Amino acid sequence: MITTSEAGLAGVVAGQTALSTVGKKGFGLTYRGYSIEDLSEHASFEEVAWLLLHGELPLYEQLVSFSEDLQVRRSLPDHLKQILEILPRKSHPMDVLRTGCSVMGCLEPEESAEQQYEIAMRLLSSFPSMLCYWHHYHHSGQRIEVETDDDSIAAHFLHLLHGTPAAEHLCRALDVSLILYAEHEYNASTFAARITASTMSDLYSGITTGIGTLRGPLHGGANEASMELIESYVNADAAEQGVMDRLAAKQKIMGFGHRVYKTVDPRSDVIKRWSHTLCDETALVPLYEISERIEAVMRREKGLFPNLDFYAATVFHCLGIPTTMFTPLFVFARTAGWSAHVFEQRGNNRLIRPAAEYNGPGPRVFVPINERA
Ligand SMILES: CC(C)(COP(=O)(O)OP(=O)(O)OC[C@H]1O[C@@H](n2cnc3c(N)ncnc32)[C@H](O)[C@@H]1OP(=O)(O)O)[C@@H](O)C(=O)NCCC(=O)NCCS
């Protein structure tokens, strides 16, 4: 029984999950028991999404049919397109997705929990379409066709964004990023989604809750903040000086540290290798050098290590993705994890309603408004 509250619930076990382990001794990061190193090396995002939603790795035929099922759910309802068109051009893409998810909940509502799997598939498939439809309408005045025959979410998104199919290794770079972002135990947005599910609300509400919680820079928004930091410096020496100044001013450096990991984020090594490869290939080596110097300064000065968001930023940048779309990419991936958590919560539900330690004033006599000083 917890009697005193830990600030930010740090270290508090708030429930059970069979979905993933984060930072457990002897496990590292696993999704349903499979290591993130193996999954990011050998699996596709679709394979991982199946694993999260079903509990087991798919057989070949299951994966083919799952990918096809995702492919045919990429269209957008006309009413959603109209709403995307009237959203402001300057909206943050996370606000666009949060709104888009909510609108889908009105247009194709979940009328019974039996539809939950179908809705998770629909959202996984249609989020990239929503974002790119809104983006192109407002940035080039085009009403794009949102259905492609690309066989993965990564390839579909890059195709829609750039207007042409992307090279295979670029699709793989994004695919790996989606795998790394797909699931992470009781992180803030997942926990928020589970709380929503625990009230017996619908799946769209759970995912909308997740998107809103993910948006902040202490959570998903850190990848955008990392990019802004990295590209604010002209070279590694300037970055070292700049980060030292920020630390002296007691500012946080986004993309470093973690609530659960204490020495390393196992996802960072994987994404760092992709960052190196892509910065080399796109002649953006200075961005990689700046990133490595910031990492060295953070290790030396604070003993802090990069989390997934730090090197993911340069990977996305090298893929030609606008910075404000970085956190939405996290949404594309984490929709698999959020949905699986909602299914799990629903499978053994009890309302999540913790208690608070009261620290306000003692009982007081009510003073009528005309007698207040
Ligand atoms: C992730 C994070 C929120 C975890 O926070 P937490 O467990 O609550 O830890 P705290 O914020 O209390 O930090 C503990 C100490 O480390 C410092 N610290 C933690 N992360 C830091 C960072 N990124 N830059 C500078 N200092 C940092 C804090 O200032 C604090 O120092 P103090 O004890 O001298 O005050 C935190 O590390 C952070 O804000 N990181 C940057 C945002 C980010 O990258 N988020 C994505 C997470 S995957």
Side-chain angles (χ1 to χ4, degrees):
M1 167 100 177
I2 301 158
T3 48
T4 35
S5 54
E6 265 317 320
L9 297 182
V12 172
V13 175
Q16 294 185 318
T17 183
L19 275 153
S20 62
T21 56
V22 174
K24 295 216 173 18
K25 221 168 169 212
F27 276 88
L29 171 59
T30 63
Y31 296 170
R32 301 232 185 240
Y34 295 100
S35 81
I36 196 65
E37 290 79 8
D38 279 348
L39 292 172
S40 60
E41 181 70 27
H42 304 296
S44 65
F45 172 70
E46 281 69 15
E47 222 171 328
V48 167
W50 173 284
L51 171 69
L52 293 170
L53 295 172
H54 291 270
E56 297 297 336
L57 287 168
L59 300 173
Y60 178 78
E61 306 76 51
Q62 289 172 323
L63 180 59
V64 170
S65 110
F66 182 65
S67 302
E68 286 169 0
D69 284 350
L70 286 169
Q71 224 170 304
V72 298
R73 285 169 173 75
R74 289 175 177 162
S75 65
L76 300 176
D78 286 343
H79 283 109
L80 173 57
K81 288 184 187 169
Q82 286 165 15
I83 287 169
L84 293 171
E85 289 178 15
I86 59 172
L87 291 179
R89 180 180 187 275
K90 285 194 168 157
S91 299
H92 191 286
M94 283 296 277
D95 298 339
V96 172
L97 286 187
R98 195 191 57 229
T99 305
C101 184
S102 211
V103 172
M104 286 293 275
C106 297
L107 299 177
E108 300 175 8
E110 183 181 38
E111 274 145 7
S112 97
E114 278 159 33
Q115 294 169 298
Q116 63 180 13
Y117 180 72
E118 170 66 29
I119 290 169
M121 301 273 289
R122 181 76 167 118
L123 291 176
L124 276 168
S125 301
S126 61
F127 276 148
S129 305
M130 265 180 225
L131 185 63
C132 291
Y133 186 88
W134 169 83
H135 173 77
H136 286 294
Y137 181 80
H138 289 281
H139 292 84
S140 58
Q142 280 178 285
R143 289 189 168 98
I144 61 160
E145 209 34 78
V146 292
E147 286 168 273
T148 70
D149 53 12
D150 295 293
D151 59 6
S152 70
I153 289 173
H156 173 63
F157 170 71
L158 290 175
H159 189 167
L160 287 188
L161 180 65
H162 297 309
T164 50
E168 208 171 307
H169 73 292
L170 300 181
C171 296
R172 180 59 187 158
L174 184 57
D175 197 55
V176 169
S177 312
L178 297 179
I179 293 172
L180 299 174
Y181 272 121
E183 162 56 17
H184 219 218
E185 199 222 49
Y186 271 38
N187 59 86
S189 57
T190 301
F191 189 50
R194 285 190 79 126
I195 292 173
T196 301
S198 82
T199 69
M200 294 179 71
S201 187
D202 66 308
L203 180 56
Y204 293 101
S205 297
I207 304 291
T208 307
T209 302
I211 298 173
T213 310
L214 186 69
R215 193 188 190 296
L218 293 189
H219 193 5
N223 54 17
E224 295 179 17
S226 297
M227 192 65 229
E228 284 156 16
L229 178 80
I230 294 164
E231 64 183 354
S232 72
Y233 301 120
V234 289
N235 58 36
D237 288 344
E240 172 146 9
Q241 189 54 54
V243 170
M244 291 297 288
D245 291 346
R246 283 172 186 258
L247 291 178
K250 302 259 175 257
Q251 287 177 18
K252 276 191 168 178
I253 306 298
M254 297 302 156
F256 285 86
H258 198 270
R259 170 60 65 79
V260 181
Y261 300 125
K262 292 302 166 210
T263 51
V264 69
D265 178 342
R267 303 166 299 178
S268 177
D269 285 350
V270 179
I271 204 70
K272 184 176 175 181
R273 286 196 290 277
W274 275 103
S275 169
H276 196 179
T277 305
L278 294 182
C279 284
D280 265 354
E281 186 183 309
T282 49
L284 291 171
V285 177
L287 289 181
Y288 186 74
E289 290 170 352
I290 288 168
S291 307
E292 276 212 307
R293 184 71 72 86
I294 296 174
E295 178 183 349
V297 173
M298 289 301 284
R299 286 188 190 279
R300 185 186 74 213
E301 299 296 323
K302 300 287 291 183
L304 285 174
F305 52 91
N307 55 49
L308 169 59
D309 292 313
F310 188 67
Y311 283 101
T314 35
V315 168
F316 296 157
H317 184 82
C318 292
L319 294 173
I321 299 168
T323 303
T324 54
M325 287 192 183
F326 290 6
T327 318
L329 289 170
F330 197 152
V331 172
F332 299 170
R334 192 57 65 86
T335 295
W338 288 331
S339 302
H341 274 276
V342 170
F343 298 176
E344 191 180 57
Q345 181 68 34
R346 286 174 167 183
N348 185 20
N349 189 48
R350 188 167 184 218
L351 176 72
I352 300 174
R353 198 297 188 194
E357 204 175 73
Y358 180 67
N359 64 358
R364 296 195 271 184
V365 176
F366 178 79
V367 182
I369 195 157
N370 55 354
E371 293 173 23
R372 287 176 213 159

